[in-house]
Amino acid sequence: GFIGRHLVKYLMDKKLASKIRVADKALPQTAYLSKEFKAYFADKAVEHKQANLSNPSHVKRAFKDDAKYDWVINCAAETRIGQDENQYKQMVLNISVNCAKEAAAHGCEKYIEFSTARCYAAGKKSSKE
């Protein structure tokens, strides 16, 4: 998605990672990447795994190898407005929980979760975590 591709660009530009694994439902060839972003995803330091992270077996496949991950940054979340509770649970909560568990099982040092702000009620009053 938008945030993930910009995160890859940032990590590459700043030389903050020697290897980046991207897990996404869409292949880079079908993700409407600009020429600039296609170059980042074609770099040998970036590996793509096609995976629907709402499916636990796909999460395991995304982590499949004996690699140790220093950082896992999860940008996966369904951001459509008006999801019912079951859709939210499957496409936001379960993705987060399944990815975090798998990251921990692989000895991940830092797990960062990006999500949607739409989980907060509308209004000017501050929300509490």
Side-chain angles (χ1 to χ4, degrees):
F2 180 84
I3 294 173
R5 69 182 66 165
H6 282 83
L7 178 60
V8 169
K9 177 184 183 309
Y10 179 83
L11 293 171
M12 296 289 290
D13 286 348
K14 302 293 183 184
K15 298 178 178 23
L16 296 173
S18 59
K19 182 170 172 112
I20 299 170
R21 178 174 291 170
V22 175
D24 195 351
K25 288 185 282 190
L27 293 167
Q29 299 87 338
T30 63
Y32 302 104
L33 297 175
S34 68
K35 214 180 234 188
E36 175 188 24
F37 286 105
K38 284 180 183 176
Y40 286 103
F41 279 80
D43 191 285
K44 65 182 180 188
V46 179
E47 176 189 11
H48 183 272
K49 294 267 189 174
Q50 188 174 21
N52 176 351
L53 296 175
S54 68
N55 181 328
S57 67
H58 285 223
V59 174
K60 288 193 180 297
R61 186 172 70 208
F63 282 88
K64 187 178 180 182
D65 59 21
D66 292 328
K68 181 180 181 300
Y69 299 92
D70 296 328
W71 292 60
V72 172
I73 302 172
N74 182 19
C75 302
E78 181 61 60
T79 57
R80 284 179 297 133
I81 296 173
Q83 296 180 78
D84 65 32
E85 189 173 337
N86 287 333
Q87 287 174 313
Y88 177 82
K89 183 177 180 186
Q90 179 184 3
M91 300 305 291
V92 179
L93 178 64
N94 289 353
I95 289 174
S96 299
V97 170
N98 292 338
C99 288
K101 284 180 180 177
E102 200 64 29
H106 282 82
C108 173
E109 292 177 23
K110 303 281 183 193
Y111 183 82
I112 299 170
E113 177 74 30
F114 283 79
S115 189
T116 176
R118 292 190 178 124
C119 59
Y120 298 109
K124 295 184 181 211
K125 186 177 178 186
S126 296
S127 298
K128 295 187 185 213
E129 294 291 323

